[in-house]
Amino acid sequence: MGVIDSHTHVIATDADRYPVDPIGGRQSTWSVEHPVDVDGLLAALDEAEIDRAVVVQASTVYGHDNRYLADSIRAHPDRLTGVFSLDALAPDAVDRINHWQDQGLSGFRLFTTGTTMPGQADWLGHEDSYPVWECAQAQDIPVCLQMTIEGIPALQRILEQFPRVKVVLDHCARPILSDGPPYAEARGLFQLAEYPGVHLKVTHRALQAAGEGASTVDDFLAALLAAYGSRRLIWGSNFPAAAGPLSGLLADARSALGGLDPADAANVFGGSVANFYALREQGPQHV
């Protein structure tokens, strides 16, 4: 199993064909200052020697207009897998899921927080979103959640209603880790491990938080492995939202996670995301 990046973005150069319409009304700074289109992403993947990437809709650029994402995936299905953005409260949300899945995309993203929308949106877990979760569970569609740790009680309510749904939390739900082991401030994150469909993206944001205060990356990683096992931990670069070359982001992650044994590392850097998105190759299955 080669390396698979679970969290990248693409920004079109043609703003007339793909107009900006960010969730929350404000475009993200990174997408203005250092955007990368699909050709740039492919070049970065080649330079970093990354086999495949999951492209997550740039919600702070295009909102729920997933056309550039779909066009990018359609042009490069051998290298890229796409996750579309969705308004979970829209009356036609299930129709939108079916539409974008038919366009070749492989899961949807719910955006409830971010640099342009700080805090935790209160609609997560609203009953009006239940048809979306029911659809995801029935069709085995992966869900990507951009949320904070404050949203965990709402997510727990959802998982009680839809226990077979598969969810991956961007940036490990942005936990507070500075108190160090046993990570009382992030207790909810570890409690989510009881739901077998919950997976975590171990990104630069999560690793940065793990090195603050009384915490170390090794301590946080040990706690994650004890709770989730490596089959539910997924590396993502967040390129190009994260500054710097993709090859550097991968090198930094490999260095930070250097304590992983080879089988666990193979899962985190490829196998787990292959399993989550049902990609053809499967990674090692080491707990």
Side-chain angles (χ1 to χ4, degrees), residues 9-13 27 30-31 34-38 58 61-62 68 240:
H9 303 289
V10 290
I11 309 298
T13 57
Q27 184 175 353
W30 67 263
S31 64
H34 45 95
V36 173
D37 65 5
V38 66
V61 182
Y62 300 117
Y68 183 58

Side-chain angles (χ1 to χ4, degrees), residues 25 74 99 111 132 135 140 145 169 176 178 180 182 187 199 203 226 233 239 249 263-264:
R74 189 179 300 110
H99 170 77
F111 190 84
V132 160
C135 178
D140 196 27
L145 260 178
L169 307 185
I176 297 171
S178 56
R187 183 181 298 109
H199 297 62
T203 64
L233 303 181
F239 177 80
L249 294 168
D264 285 333

Side-chain angles (χ1 to χ4, degrees), residues 168-256:
V168 62
L169 307 185
D170 290 350
H171 314 303
C172 293
R174 301 170 180 255
I176 297 171
L177 304 172
S178 56
D179 57 336
Y183 296 110
E185 293 289 334
R187 183 181 298 109
L189 181 67
F190 295 99
Q191 290 173 339
L192 284 175
E194 70 178 89
Y195 302 96
V198 176
H199 297 62
L200 305 180
K201 280 186 192 173
V202 182
T203 64
H204 71 295
R205 288 186 181 276
L207 293 174
Q208 182 179 16
E212 295 175 350
S215 177
T216 68
V217 172
D218 287 343
D219 286 338
F220 182 53
L221 183 60
L224 290 182
L225 288 171
Y228 286 89
S230 65
R231 286 178 291 181
R232 293 199 278 161
L233 303 181
I234 298 173
W235 172 71
S237 70
N238 199 26
F239 177 80
L246 181 53
S247 57
L249 294 168
L250 175 58
D252 289 346
R254 284 199 181 280
S255 176

